[in-house]
Amino acid sequence: MELTNNSWFQSPTLLLTGIPGLEFVQIWISIPLGFMYLIALLGNCTILFVIKTTSILHEPQYLFLSMLAATDMGLSLSTLPTVLKVFLLNHREIEFHSCLAQMFFIHTFSSMESAILLAMAFDRFIAICDPLHYTVVLTPTRIIGMGLIAMFRGVLLMMPLPILLKRLPFCKGVILSHCYCYHPDVMKLACGSVRVNIIYGLCLVLCSFGIDSIFIVISYILILKTVLGVASGDGQLKALNTCVSHIFTVFIFYVPLIVLALIHRFGTFTSPLLHVAMANLFLFLTPVLNPLVYSLKTKQIRSAMHKIFKSRARFT
């Protein structure tokens, strides 16, 4: 059956979008995109391997970092098939249920990453504000529990999204704004009332990203208050230096997420290129930059990586 804008479909085949107006060079754009996926996967795999094989890194700070790396890998793998298919092969079609599945994993891993960033902020709060109880509060059991809570919260919160979309017919076209499936983007194509979807989406944002970001800000306000109480200027810099990587990660995660949400809310006032730019920043910034930032900024990880690669070079 031919897909038209005036027909009603319960489960249409949707069309993904690359870069509007630059379709003729998309195969060349796929090269840097593929390179960024390679950096993201290899970088996060390296972080996981180094932390797993280095006993001195089996501490709360690095265990949370390994969770962040695993989440970034999940986010990259969720989008890799469609992104490369659009840019490398110019295959834009995606079956409706496949689109819902991809959407679920993208939003679930995003929610998990937000929760893990909150856990990492709590880790820095305890380390700076109450260092004597650091190992007592952040025991391995509690760390694993926090990771499981982040995972189950993401799954439970995001599970209704595809269910709510599945009940709707689609008649407003089949062309999505991105090279992957994103809930507000898919919802725009639905006919009938999407009031429930909008209300649930708003509640979901407030209950996950909203609450997480508020507690992250509160944690750093308390951290800053404690650091300013330190008499030594060197002590203040040393304490804040342990937070730099995490602050940078929070910034590069939340800013594209917020801008992308605003673009979908006020999309009629923005250009398609801005849609594409922010969508790709949301995809690539954290998975690509996190392993680079932590490996360059964290002395312990850098030293462990050097030892591992040096020891393996001896056997080759």
Side-chain angles (χ1 to χ4, degrees), residues 257-304:
L257 183 66
I258 292 171
V259 174
L260 188 61
L262 291 176
I263 284 175
H264 278 283
R265 178 64 181 85
F266 306 102
T268 55
F269 304 101
T270 57
S271 69
L273 288 178
L274 182 61
H275 277 251
V276 173
M278 296 314 304
N280 288 322
L281 284 178
F282 172 68
L283 277 187
F284 293 112
L285 267 187
T286 52
V288 171
L289 294 182
N290 281 348
L292 296 177
V293 169
Y294 277 97
S295 59
L296 294 175
K297 189 70 180 63
T298 309
K299 181 180 178 181
Q300 292 84 344
I301 292 180
R302 193 167 61 249
S303 299

Side-chain angles (χ1 to χ4, degrees), residues 127-245:
I128 294 174
C129 300
D130 194 10
L132 296 179
H133 294 91
Y134 183 69
T135 55
V136 176
V137 175
L138 291 173
T139 62
T141 302
R142 286 177 179 168
I143 293 170
I144 293 172
M146 293 167 75
L148 291 175
I149 289 173
M151 181 179 69
F152 285 121
R153 188 195 74 165
V155 171
L156 291 176
L157 285 178
M158 303 303 167
M159 192 176 294
L161 290 182
I163 297 174
L164 290 173
L165 286 175
K166 182 70 172 65
R167 68 187 177 88
L168 297 171
F170 288 78
C171 68
K172 297 180 180 179
V174 294
I175 301 176
L176 298 171
S177 303
H178 309 306
C179 48
Y180 57 87
C181 294
Y182 190 63
H183 176 256
D185 197 23
V186 179
M187 184 178 65
K188 286 180 180 179
L189 303 181
C191 298
S193 175
V194 292
R195 182 180 179 84
V196 174
N197 301 67
I198 294 174
I199 293 174
Y200 183 77
L202 179 61
C203 293
L204 186 151
V205 169
L206 294 176
C207 292
S208 54
F209 304 106
I211 291 177
D212 292 345
S213 59
I214 289 172
F215 278 108
I216 289 173
V217 171
I218 291 173
S219 297
Y220 274 103
I221 290 174
L222 296 175
I223 288 171
L224 186 60
K225 181 180 178 181
T226 301
V227 169
L228 292 177
V230 177
S232 169
D234 292 337
Q236 292 177 351
L237 290 176
K238 185 177 180 181
L240 289 175
N241 191 50
T242 64
C243 302
V244 170
S245 298

